[in-house]
């Protein structure tokens, strides 16, 4: 597949923009995305033609989340966004650790990725893509900009050392419940090694809570200690009462649609459809709202033709 010039330029622009939020050196930043410092320097100086392989650009585009067909969502400062922002800023500024456990489809991942793109030394890792300890540690190393390809023990040692050299780093681990047991234990070791030097933030849904609760109940090694290090509580935004829960989702969906709909005439219809319970009795979240909005926009476009 040949990459379009539009895609290439968008990747390089995003690469340059993201550098502003990376507190390490240019060399470390280049390594994070699999390119040499010399190549990065040439890109930084405006060179473009034939200096970086398309396969490398494709990898960088994937890691930066570049998608020419992806819908561009405007940021809505929902209650979820505000609470996660407050948590992550607190963890970053005070080198503390917290856990966010909440419903799916309320904007947790969107909020975390946005903060990772806009705050210096704020790193985002999707644990569902690196479930074993080998994959997890190497992905963490690559994310903060160090070599991830050497001996596992050396990669981990360098990860712990380099993290402490950064200014107010915070590492967000999304889908943390997907980590297998050995990988989960590595979190305790990483916290111990970076205490008072790095903030940590775990995110997940009910599976993460169940994993920790079960581990503590069965006295499985590491879970009680980890929960203690991560503040011994969960950040949750969605209320449990039926009416409060419905009101929360109504406000959440309305806030996001208001920031992303040019024509609000159909907003109530979309919100009401999302609030209808599915076969499991669950309310539809932001993913359902996005799908309904896309269907509506496609219908409106077809009507114009």
């Amino acid at each position: 597949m040949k990459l379009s010039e539009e895609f290439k330029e968008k990747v390089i622009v995003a690469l340059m923009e993201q550098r502003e939020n990376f507190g390490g050196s240019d060399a470390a930043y280049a390594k994070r995305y699999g390119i040499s410092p010399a190549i990065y320097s040439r890109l930084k100086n405006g060179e473009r033609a034939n200096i970086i392989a398309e396969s490398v650009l494709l990898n960088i585009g994937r890691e930066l989340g570049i998608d020419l067909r992806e819908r561009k969502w405007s940021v809505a400062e929902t209650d979820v966004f505000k609470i996660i922002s407050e948590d992550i800023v607190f963890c970053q500024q005070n080198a503390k650790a917290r856990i966010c456990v909440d419903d799916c489809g309320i904007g947790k991942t969107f909020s975390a990725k946005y903060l990772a793109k806009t705050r210096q030394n704020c790193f985002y890792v999707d644990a569902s893509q690196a479930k074993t300890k080998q994959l997890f540690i190497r992905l963490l190393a690559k994310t903060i900009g160090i070599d991830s390809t050497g001996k596992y023990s050396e990669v981990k040692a360098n990860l712990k050392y380099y993290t402490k050299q950064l200014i107010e780093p915070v590492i967000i681990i999304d889908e943390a419940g997907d980590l297998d047991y050995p990988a989960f234990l590595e979190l305790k070791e990483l916290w111990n090694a970076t205490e008072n030097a790095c903030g940590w933030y775990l995110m997940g849904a009910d599976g993460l809570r169940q994993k920790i609760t079960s581990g503590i109940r069965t006295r499985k090694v590491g879970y009680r200690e980890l929960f203690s290090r991560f503040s011994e509580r969960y950040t949750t935004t969605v209320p449990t009462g039926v009416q409060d829960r419905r009101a929360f989702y109504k406000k959440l969906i309305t806030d996001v649609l208001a920031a992303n709909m040019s024509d609000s005439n159909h907003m109530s219809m979309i919100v009401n459809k999302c609030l209808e319970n599915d076969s499991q009795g669950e309310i539809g979240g932001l993913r359902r709202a996005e799908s309904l909005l896309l269907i509506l926009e496609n219908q409106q476009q077809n009507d114009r033709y």
Side-chain angles (χ1 to χ4, degrees):
M1 180 184 73
K2 185 171 178 59
L3 301 180
S4 69
E5 293 303 316
E6 180 188 7
F7 178 83
K8 293 178 185 178
E9 185 60 23
K10 191 169 184 179
V11 170
I12 294 172
V13 168
L15 183 68
M16 296 300 121
E17 289 177 347
Q18 192 62 24
R19 173 65 181 93
E20 297 176 8
N21 296 317
F22 185 78
S25 65
D26 278 357
Y29 185 69
K31 186 172 291 185
R32 178 182 181 184
Y33 292 104
I35 56 179
S36 71
I39 292 297
Y40 177 77
S41 178
R42 292 171 66 184
L43 289 171
K44 188 176 178 180
N45 290 330
E47 289 188 55
R48 294 291 185 268
N50 302 320
I51 65 170
I52 185 168
E54 290 197 348
S55 59
V56 176
L57 277 173
L58 191 63
N59 286 335
I60 296 172
R62 173 176 52 79
E63 292 181 22
L64 289 172
I66 304 300
D67 187 344
L68 295 179
R69 296 174 299 176
E70 184 179 34
R71 180 188 179 88
K72 179 70 174 177
W73 282 92
S74 298
V75 177
E77 293 199 7
T78 64
D79 292 340
V80 174
F81 181 88
K82 290 175 183 176
I83 289 174
I84 288 178
S85 296
E86 289 171 4
D87 262 6
I88 290 174
V89 170
F90 173 82
C91 290
Q92 182 170 24
Q93 293 179 344
N94 298 281
K96 296 299 181 183
R98 288 183 174 177
I99 306 173
C100 174
V101 171
D102 224 325
D103 285 5
C104 300
I106 61 171
K108 299 191 303 295
T109 295
F110 180 91
S111 301
K113 286 183 174 180
Y114 176 82
L115 291 165
K117 287 182 178 179
T118 55
R119 293 190 63 81
Q120 188 174 60
N121 290 339
C122 179
F123 304 101
Y124 173 89
V125 171
D126 179 358
S128 70
Q129 305 301 312
K131 300 174 184 178
T132 68
K133 71 176 188 177
Q134 282 269 354
L135 292 175
F136 178 57
I137 292 297
R138 293 183 188 281
L139 178 57
L140 275 177
K142 188 173 188 297
T143 299
I144 69 168
I146 63 172
D147 184 17
S148 62
T149 60
K151 287 178 59 178
Y152 175 75
S153 59
E154 292 178 356
V155 171
K156 184 164 65 171
N158 289 337
L159 169 63
K160 292 184 286 189
Y161 173 77
Y162 185 71
T163 300
K164 292 190 291 184
Q165 311 313 309
L166 296 172
I167 299 173
E168 291 190 343
V170 61
I171 298 175
I172 305 165
I173 302 172
D174 198 3
E175 307 289 3
D178 284 6
L179 292 173
D180 66 15
Y181 180 55
F184 212 73
L185 283 182
E186 296 290 63
L187 286 171
K188 186 179 76 167
E189 180 180 340
L190 292 172
W191 187 96
N192 287 346
T194 60
E195 184 178 5
N196 298 322
C198 179
W200 295 87
Y201 197 65
L202 303 187
M203 296 201 317
D206 286 340
L208 176 57
R209 189 199 304 267
Q210 291 171 4
K211 188 186 193 85
I212 295 172
T213 301
S214 175
I216 293 173
R217 187 181 66 251
T218 58
R219 299 188 177 184
K220 201 167 184 178
V221 173
Y223 282 95
R224 169 63 70 183
E225 299 96 317
L226 185 71
F227 192 51
S228 173
R229 286 159 173 77
F230 279 75
S231 303
E232 296 185 290
R233 61 181 293 273
Y234 300 107
T235 294
T236 302
T237 56
V238 182
T240 55
V242 175
Q243 294 304 318
D244 289 341
R245 184 179 177 84
R246 185 178 179 84
F248 169 86
Y249 269 99
K250 183 175 183 179
K251 183 177 185 301
L252 173 71
I253 296 166
T254 300
D255 287 346
V256 172
L257 290 178
N260 289 280
M261 289 184 73
S262 55
D263 181 0
S264 61
N265 289 331
H266 298 280
M267 185 184 297
S268 295
M269 179 270 292
I270 293 177
V271 172
N272 290 334
K273 281 185 175 292
C274 289
L275 294 177
E276 294 174 0
N277 292 339
D278 61 17
S279 58
Q280 282 77 43
E282 295 293 330
I283 293 173
L286 294 178
R287 291 190 181 95
R288 177 160 173 73
E290 179 184 14
S291 297
L292 291 170
L293 181 57
L294 288 173
I295 291 171
L296 174 64
E297 290 177 344
N298 288 336
Q299 288 176 342
Q300 291 175 333
Q301 186 174 12
N302 291 335
D303 289 344
R304 285 196 293 269
Y305 293 101

